[in-house]
């Protein structure tokens, strides 16, 4: 566990900003001590990483919260986009360095301002933002979650984890067994009812996320026992391949 001061020193995010993130529900500490000290675990720090990545992509805090709270969030897609953006920024900086060195050596021979142009970077950030915000699933999630209280959101999250807890009890079974497949159907219906219409295509993508590691897998394994995320991914794969 890390204190808010330690997180601030590690990440460069001000204590005031971390307090604000907590207040708006964007980044909550894993624990608050009796003395009122906020403590952050690895899961919270991973979420903070994603917050900073999306800020680089010019998302507002409200938009970032909506994306990270959505079960459709794909951490690998977010990281791929960030890697691409950083590579573009690196190329931009290298061009500026080359220009500056050239001016230092030979002086200004021609007034070339093309290296200062960031239109390509801005266009990519805009495109990435559109990909997250324009999907039907995301928009439906925004509509259904609008107006929910923090307690209502918590109860829904607990309800989903209860489904994974039941699935965890079946880890020793064949993923194709009817009892396992019934749990997958229950999960699909739960998502469709409370978050967004969960087609088999979307569910297949979620299955890969559940089994892919990171905080999502850790939360599922915590609910159903070690290996539940991987088992859920396999069971969902079987379900989605059925016609």
């Amino acid at each position: 566990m890390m204190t808010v001061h330690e997180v601030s020193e590690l990440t460069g995010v001000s204590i005031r900003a971390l307090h604000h993130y907590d207040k708006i529900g964007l980044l909550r500490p894993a624990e608050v001590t009796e003395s009122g000290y906020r403590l952050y675990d690895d899961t919270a720090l991973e979420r903070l990483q994603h917050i900073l990545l999306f800020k680089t992509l010019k998302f507002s805090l409200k938009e970032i919260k909506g994306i990270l709270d959505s079960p459709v969030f794909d951490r690998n897609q977010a990281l791929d986009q960030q890697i691409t953006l950083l590579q573009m920024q690196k190329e931009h900086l290298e061009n500026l360095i080359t220009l500056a060195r050239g001016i230092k050596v030979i002086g200004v021979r021609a007034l070339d301002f093309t290296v200062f142009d960031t239109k390509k970077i801005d266009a990519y950030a805009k495109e990435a933002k559109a990909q997250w915000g324009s999907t039907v699933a995301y928009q439906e999630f925004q509509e259904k979650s609008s107006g929910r209280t923090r307690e209502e959101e918590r109860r829904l999250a607990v309800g989903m984890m209860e489904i994974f807890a039941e699935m965890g009890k079946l880890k020793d079974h064949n993923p194709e067994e009817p009892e396992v497949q019934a749990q997958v159907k229950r999960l699909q219906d739960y998502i469709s009812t409370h978050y967004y219409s969960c087609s088999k295509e979307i569910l297949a993508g979620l299955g890969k996320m559940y089994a892919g590691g990171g905080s999502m897998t850790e939360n599922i394994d915590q609910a159903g026992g070690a290996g539940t995320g991987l088992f859920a991914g396999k069971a969902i794969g079987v379900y989605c391949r059925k016609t």
Side-chain angles (χ1 to χ4, degrees):
M1 291 283 199
M2 299 181 68
T3 66
V4 68
H5 290 84
E6 291 171 334
V7 172
S8 179
E9 290 180 359
L10 175 68
T11 64
V13 179
S14 70
I15 294 175
R16 181 179 179 181
L18 291 171
H19 286 176
H20 179 62
Y21 292 173
D22 182 14
K23 182 179 179 181
I24 65 176
L26 178 60
L27 179 70
R28 301 200 180 282
E31 182 182 332
V32 178
T33 68
E34 292 182 0
S35 302
Y37 290 104
R38 295 172 172 86
L39 299 177
Y40 297 82
D41 59 7
D42 289 343
T43 300
L45 290 177
E46 181 181 350
R47 183 177 173 96
L48 179 56
Q49 257 188 346
H50 286 303
I51 291 170
L52 298 179
L53 297 184
F54 277 113
K55 282 189 68 179
T56 304
L57 291 172
K58 311 302 182 184
F59 280 74
S60 69
L61 295 182
K62 181 179 180 181
E63 290 169 331
I64 295 171
K65 183 179 184 301
I67 291 171
L68 295 183
D69 288 346
S70 171
V72 79
F73 172 62
D74 186 337
R75 65 188 291 272
N76 291 328
Q77 180 184 354
L79 290 172
D80 285 341
Q81 289 175 335
Q82 182 62 15
I83 289 168
T84 299
L85 185 61
L86 289 173
Q87 288 174 334
M88 295 173 70
Q89 291 174 335
K90 177 174 177 283
E91 180 182 352
H92 177 68
L93 289 174
E94 288 175 342
N95 289 337
L96 289 174
I97 291 170
T98 299
L99 174 68
R101 284 175 174 166
I103 293 174
K104 181 178 180 181
V105 173
I106 63 175
V108 179
R109 295 290 182 87
L111 296 177
D112 182 5
F113 290 89
T114 58
V115 294
F116 296 99
D117 191 349
T118 62
K119 289 189 180 69
K120 186 177 179 181
I121 296 174
D122 294 340
Y124 179 81
K126 184 178 180 180
E127 180 183 349
K129 184 174 180 178
Q131 288 176 2
W132 285 105
S134 63
T135 63
V136 173
Y138 176 76
Q139 292 174 354
E140 187 177 354
F141 169 77
Q142 290 286 73
E143 291 174 3
K144 288 189 175 183
S145 62
S146 176
R148 281 181 188 157
T149 65
R150 186 181 307 175
E151 178 59 23
E152 287 171 335
E153 291 179 350
R154 188 194 68 81
R155 286 201 300 267
L156 287 177
V158 169
M160 182 172 286
M161 287 301 110
E162 287 175 352
I163 296 175
F164 285 118
E166 291 299 317
M167 193 171 290
K169 297 176 182 178
L170 303 172
K171 291 197 302 288
D172 295 333
H173 294 233
N174 188 315
E176 297 182 1
E177 290 183 15
E179 188 176 2
V180 177
Q181 290 298 295
Q183 282 298 316
V184 176
K185 180 64 166 60
R186 181 185 170 198
L187 175 65
Q188 183 185 32
D189 291 344
Y190 190 90
I191 295 172
S192 293
T193 299
H194 299 293
Y195 297 107
Y196 51 83
S197 300
C198 186
S199 65
K200 283 190 174 182
E201 181 181 5
I202 291 177
L203 185 62
L206 291 174
K208 293 177 182 178
M209 289 167 54
Y210 297 156
S215 59
M216 178 79 74
T217 306
E218 291 173 3
N219 290 338
I220 293 172
D221 285 356
Q222 185 175 1
T228 302
L230 181 60
F231 178 75
K234 291 179 180 179
I236 289 171
V238 172
Y239 179 87
C240 292
R241 285 193 293 271
K242 294 179 180 179
T243 56

